[in-house]
Amino acid sequence: MVDIERSAHTIKEKNCVKSPAKGEDKFFIERADMSLKTAILLRDISKDSGLKSELGQKSSFESYLWVINSAYYSMFYAATAILAHSGRKIKSEEG
């Protein structure tokens, strides 16, 4: 189980929170929306044999791994947008 108090203290201690650039919340919401639309399209293609045929894919084609990946990024971008909207951005080690 995650110790939220300890995690929050570590984030503050390492100075991992900074202010986002103007418009960053909108940028990340757009990325979240596009990632979700991608996940839905890939799911639909994976389920629909007629669509697979129309797109020139074999009937065995499926891309559920990429559905999961795109959905994950949609959630990540949405959470990042919420943080940006509230005036926070988590700083990575690289940037």
Side-chain angles (χ1 to χ4, degrees), residues 10-87:
T10 301
I11 288 170
K12 286 179 186 175
E13 189 176 85
K14 292 187 175 187
N15 194 25
C16 295
V17 178
K18 64 181 186 177
S19 295
K22 184 176 177 157
E24 228 172 298
D25 54 346
K26 186 178 266 190
F27 171 83
F28 283 111
I29 279 295
E30 289 169 358
R31 294 300 175 271
D33 185 55
M34 185 58 65
S35 294
L36 182 58
K37 287 176 180 174
T38 299
I40 291 167
L41 281 170
L42 291 171
R43 183 208 58 198
D44 291 351
I45 293 167
S46 294
K47 291 185 344 178
D48 187 329
S49 58
L51 194 50
K52 289 178 194 182
S53 177
E54 189 177 320
L55 294 170
Q57 297 300 315
K58 294 180 181 179
S59 62
S60 61
F61 175 85
E62 61 88 5
S63 60
Y64 292 113
L65 174 64
W66 295 103
V67 171
I68 293 166
N69 187 288
S70 296
Y72 165 83
Y73 272 98
S74 179
M75 291 179 278
F76 171 79
Y77 289 139
T80 303
I82 290 168
L83 287 171
H85 187 74
S86 66

